[in-house]
Amino acid sequence: MNSPRSFFVSDLARFARDAKDVVKLRKAPGLPDQIHVSITDRCTLPCRMCDIWKIKPGPELTTNEWKGVFDQVAAWAGPVGLNFAGGEPFLRKDVFELIRYATDLGFTVTSNTNATTFNERRVKQLADSGLDILYVSMDGFSGATHDHMRGEAGTYDKVMRTLDLVDKVDNPRVIIAMIVSRHSVGEITEMADWTRERDYQVVYQPLFNNFGRTYDPNWFVNSPHFPREDQLEELDGALDYLISIKEADGHVCNGVGQLREMKRYFRNPSVSNGLPCNAGHSDISLDAYGNFLLCFWLPPVGNVKNKPVPWMWNSMQSQRRRWEAHNCPRTCNMLNCNFEHL
């Protein structure tokens, strides 16, 4: 039988543990201003730097369920930024309906795409949907580089046809999204010059552990796509060129601080840059099945099918996730969704 003292000691230990857990909480500074919705894991391409296409899809949220989420967020946080992602979001038959619904609620709506599913009719639907920005993936200035990274020949030609069609309509605005890899180092500056000529913007994303794959702290060691040591001087020169463009006309979307930090990152990708990660502090993500995520690499904190979005944002579980993200030693705070040291 336990003595009164043993109960007292147990209570003290529990109090100490609970107090320690409370310290490991981090409240949000306010309401989210950006919502990322991955409306499908299905994709048309076997990309080499992404494993999402390997995921076996489950029952995705329905059209009405997504509309309900948008209604919740609009009533709670207001018409913030809303980004459609995937997989390839334009594989959803209701994607134009969902974009139109979100824009009618006042959201500023953007979407990522590999640009392989469009024809003239679908580009007209895109323009009519009210989409503000279309992020088009191009992982090389040359067709050979892009097709290699996307895992399928002919992809580059499909992208170029789509861009020609989008140029003929009033909206959306185009931003080219390029992953910096071993194969694209020599094409970074060409992409910057070409996007300026096309009156596009461009954003560069440093290569990272494949999305859709369990995080491996040594992912870059055996990666056939991570820049080699003998490429770093050329990469530095390309990043300096991007910095000069950013300071001159701004058509490069990356901040100067991030471009400078990429130099260090590609030399020491596993070493923390000492900058806090702000994942989940001003943004939230929802996957195709309704899971509420504050970080792509941490477990969800709930599901919109059974918990309201505002409740999950303010929950103790979310505060714990923010603490984990803020104190995480990984270098994924280099990614465009997180980097804020501009």
Side-chain angles (χ1 to χ4, degrees), residues 93-310:
K93 294 180 179 179
D94 59 356
V95 62
F96 299 113
E97 179 182 351
L98 290 175
I99 293 172
R100 180 76 268 171
Y101 191 84
T103 57
D104 286 345
L105 286 173
F107 289 100
T108 299
V109 184
T110 62
S111 183
N112 302 345
T113 183
N114 61 30
T116 62
T117 68
F118 290 93
N119 53 31
E120 190 170 356
R121 177 184 62 83
R122 286 173 61 81
V123 167
K124 184 180 184 306
Q125 288 179 290
L126 184 69
D128 292 342
S129 72
L131 186 74
D132 185 58
I133 297 174
L134 186 68
Y135 288 96
V136 177
S137 296
M138 287 187 70
D139 295 318
F141 178 71
S142 70
T145 299
H146 180 73
D147 287 0
H148 174 74
M149 290 301 290
R150 291 284 151 173
E152 186 172 296
T155 301
Y156 177 86
D157 291 337
K158 292 179 182 178
V159 173
M160 294 305 296
R161 284 195 293 271
T162 296
L163 290 174
D164 288 341
L165 290 172
V166 173
D167 284 349
K168 295 177 182 179
V169 297
D170 292 335
N171 63 284
R173 181 160 52 95
V174 171
I175 298 180
I176 299 299
M178 180 177 180
I179 291 178
V180 178
S181 71
R182 173 182 301 183
H183 317 289
S184 65
V185 168
E187 302 178 12
I188 291 171
T189 59
E190 290 177 296
M191 182 65 81
D193 292 340
W194 178 77
T195 50
R196 183 194 283 133
E197 292 169 4
R198 296 273 302 213
D199 198 27
Y200 300 154
Q201 289 180 285
V202 60
V203 63
Y204 295 86
Q205 178 88 288
L207 186 74
F208 193 66
N209 187 97
N210 281 27
F211 282 98
R213 181 184 299 178
T214 303
Y215 178 74
D216 175 7
N218 294 311
W219 66 271
F220 57 93
V221 174
N222 296 315
S223 171
H225 313 301
F226 197 78
R228 303 185 304 267
E229 187 174 355
D230 62 6
Q231 294 179 295
L232 294 179
E233 185 175 348
E234 182 181 11
L235 179 56
D236 286 350
L239 291 170
D240 285 337
Y241 185 69
L242 298 185
I243 290 170
S244 69
I245 293 175
K246 177 67 176 181
E247 294 175 334
D249 66 22
H251 94 272
V252 171
C253 296
N254 304 80
V256 170
Q258 185 190 24
L259 294 170
R260 288 175 177 157
E261 185 60 25
M262 283 189 198
K263 295 182 182 182
R264 187 216 59 81
Y265 169 79
F266 282 112
R267 284 171 168 79
N268 298 290
S270 65
V271 177
S272 172
N273 52 33
L275 302 173
C277 179
N278 290 305
H281 286 67
S282 61
D283 61 290
I284 56 176
S285 298
L286 297 167
D287 69 14
Y289 319 107
N291 292 311
F292 183 98
L293 302 160
L294 295 180
C295 169
F296 292 114
W297 305 103
L298 295 175
V301 297
N303 191 288
V304 295
K305 290 184 178 181
N306 49 47
K307 293 179 181 177
V309 172

